[in-house]
Amino acid sequence: MSSTHSSLHVHLVFGTKERVPWITQDLIVDFHAYIGGCAKGIGSLPLAVGGVADHVHILLGMGTSQSVANIVRDLKRESSKWMKSRRSMEPFAWQEGYGAFSVGPIALEEVKQYICRQEEHHRERSFMEEYRMMLEKAGVKYDPKYLE
């Protein structure tokens, strides 16, 4: 082939360190917009960014030369800088790990809607309940001691 074609989409999930609710209502809209801008800046296509006070969900299209680990590293680094510049509480940090789930073209709209309705979801279940469900639905084996 004389050109490269791809459809690579990933649903990323990561939480604040120790699940501290640092992403407050007064910052959440701008914070999510900033994360979307960071994704564009590193060559990804942000399709949805959402979450609540202790975690974020990002649906994005990846370029063929990008790696999930590098995308997450860059998004965490830049969003941490932004949050620290807006808050007097310097200890803001993300947890070390993250979830990355592949999304096929048929499921993109469903995942977008799921991300946009995060506040609604978390009236009924915690982040950890949600995350366990995501892992199980994706068939990811995990040791519960590493989720706490």
Side-chain angles (χ1 to χ4, degrees), residues 52 54-55 114 117-134:
V52 293
D54 65 349
H55 71 282
Y114 179 81
R117 292 192 309 265
Q118 280 296 295
E119 203 170 303
E120 178 184 319
H121 295 304
H122 290 291
R123 288 187 196 120
E124 298 175 15
R125 69 179 56 91
S126 72
F127 171 44
M128 289 318 301
E129 290 170 325
E130 172 191 47
Y131 193 65
R132 281 186 188 98
M133 286 175 39
M134 292 176 73

Side-chain angles (χ1 to χ4, degrees), residues 65-141:
S65 63
Q66 293 181 305
S67 74
V68 171
N70 288 346
I71 290 170
V72 172
R73 179 200 62 213
D74 293 347
L75 293 177
K76 283 183 172 184
R77 181 185 61 235
E78 295 306 316
S79 61
S80 290
K81 287 179 192 175
W82 187 92
M83 185 62 82
K84 288 176 182 176
S85 76
R86 300 299 188 282
R87 312 244 351 139
S88 60
M89 53 184 182
E90 278 299 306
F92 177 85
W94 295 110
Q95 289 211 250
E96 190 175 320
Y98 60 90
F101 305 93
S102 59
V103 180
I106 294 171
L108 286 175
E109 191 56 39
E110 179 184 346
V111 175
K112 278 188 214 177
Q113 292 305 313
Y114 179 81
I115 290 172
C116 291
R117 292 192 309 265
Q118 280 296 295
E119 203 170 303
E120 178 184 319
H121 295 304
H122 290 291
R123 288 187 196 120
E124 298 175 15
R125 69 179 56 91
S126 72
F127 171 44
M128 289 318 301
E129 290 170 325
E130 172 191 47
Y131 193 65
R132 281 186 188 98
M133 286 175 39
M134 292 176 73
L135 291 170
E136 290 165 9
K137 185 177 178 182
V140 176
K141 297 198 182 316

